[in-house]
Amino acid sequence: MIQLINATKIYNKSGKDLIALNDVTCEFERGSYISVVGRSGSGKSTLLNLIGGLDSVSSGQIIFDGNRLDKMTKNQLEIYRRFSVGMIFQSFNLVSHRSAIDNVILPMIFADVSLNERKNRAAALLEKVGLKERMNHISAEMSGGEAQRVAIARAMANNPSVILADEPTGNLDSKTAEEIMDLLIDLNINYGITVIMITHEADIAFRVSDKIFTLLDGKIINTQYTNNKRGTDEII
């Protein structure tokens, strides 16, 4: 579904080149749950931003369903971000003074979804993530777990085929983190959505993933296939 071929990203800071991603080639299969792990500065977020169309490669290719992101126009990338991928952030990135349902409706406005459809779809998504009784509450008044559930519902608003989750449990306590991970697993298993997750917590990645990429200094140094999504500890 998603391929990176010799993907490199170089930033220039204070006149010096910083290689954030270094000649990476890898694949993300449709319907899979894939985690990317590594220490801070290893290139995890850069990789996710490139896949999400938020940044562009310095060299190499990124291919989504046969279409090269690195060759897309600005307008094509906007359409890609709007409909193909949904993003979940560690810090939630909600509009704090708006209600949960308003936050979920927001991306549908840019997608020209009708008013009635926006409201109905947002309500259904919030019910799916367990917030039926909280959809009219202001996001600033919600707990971290509730805010992240709103963020997941918002990421699903335009029916993306891929969810990109950047440290989705990083600001949550362990119990709430488990609930959020169970929700992402449900979206993957029962709705067929491809999930690509960035995390520094190897134990979580090992439990939920079909495949784990380990990054170090902008390179993939290990690829591990697992069968842990349904609670086993078997390594394939």
Side-chain angles (χ1 to χ4, degrees):
M1 183 181 195
I2 301 171
Q3 292 177 292
L4 276 69
I5 302 174
N6 304 120
T8 296
K9 180 63 183 180
I10 301 174
Y11 297 100
N12 187 276
K13 293 189 175 182
S14 302
K16 295 182 179 180
D17 285 342
L18 174 64
I19 302 176
L21 210 65
N22 191 354
D23 196 32
V24 168
T25 296
C26 59
E27 293 187 2
F28 299 84
E29 295 82 2
R30 185 182 305 278
S32 60
Y33 196 124
I34 299 177
S35 292
V36 182
V37 302
R39 65 183 63 173
S40 296
S42 62
K44 302 188 304 296
S45 293
T46 298
L47 177 63
L48 204 72
N49 288 339
L50 291 173
I51 294 173
L54 299 176
D55 208 343
S56 58
V57 291
S58 301
S59 62
Q61 302 177 23
I62 300 180
I63 302 170
F64 181 90
D65 278 350
N67 300 305
R68 288 182 57 177
L69 268 65
D70 55 290
K71 295 294 186 182
M72 287 184 180
T73 65
K74 182 179 178 181
N75 184 60
Q76 288 171 329
L77 279 172
E78 288 177 356
I79 293 171
Y80 169 76
R81 290 192 297 264
R82 194 172 298 159
F83 296 105
S84 296
V85 295
M87 297 200 71
I88 303 168
F89 303 93
Q90 178 179 351
S91 56
F92 319 133
N93 285 12
L94 301 179
V95 182
S96 61
H97 63 280
R98 303 300 295 268
S99 67
I101 195 165
D102 284 343
N103 272 277
V104 179
I105 282 173
L106 187 60
M108 289 185 270
I109 295 174
F110 296 105
D112 293 326
V113 178
S114 69
L115 178 61
N116 285 339
E117 174 63 15
R118 293 199 300 259
K119 291 180 177 179
N120 291 337
R121 192 187 300 178
L125 285 167
L126 286 167
E127 183 173 0
K128 181 184 294 184
V129 300
L131 291 178
K132 181 179 179 180
E133 307 302 325
R134 300 281 285 169
M135 64 178 64
N136 291 311
H137 285 250
I138 302 300
S139 60
E141 300 172 353
M142 292 184 158
S143 68
E146 290 173 333
Q148 196 61 293
R149 287 173 182 270
V150 175
I152 291 171
R154 181 187 59 189
M156 294 292 299
N158 290 325
N159 300 313
S161 53
V162 180
I163 290 291
L164 304 175
D166 192 354
E167 300 279 5
T169 61
N171 287 332
L172 305 176
D173 62 80
S174 59
K175 181 178 182 298
T176 306
E178 286 287 326
E179 293 172 353
I180 294 301
M181 293 313 306
D182 288 342
L183 181 54
L184 291 175
I185 292 169
D186 177 64
L187 292 176
N188 174 239
I189 294 176
N190 295 318
Y191 295 90
I193 296 169
T194 304
V195 178
I196 302 174
M197 180 179 75
I198 299 294
T199 182
H200 67 276
E201 298 179 89
D203 56 332
I204 289 180
F206 190 82
R207 181 175 72 84
V208 304
S209 305
D210 299 309
K211 183 164 68 173
I212 302 171
F213 292 122
T214 302
L215 278 178
L216 180 65
D217 297 333
K219 288 181 173 288
I220 293 178
I221 60 169
N222 187 49
T223 302
Q224 187 175 30
Y225 295 86
T226 73
N227 189 31
N228 301 333
K229 190 157 53 180
R230 291 170 177 81
T232 71
D233 291 325
E234 178 187 356
I235 298 293
I236 299 176

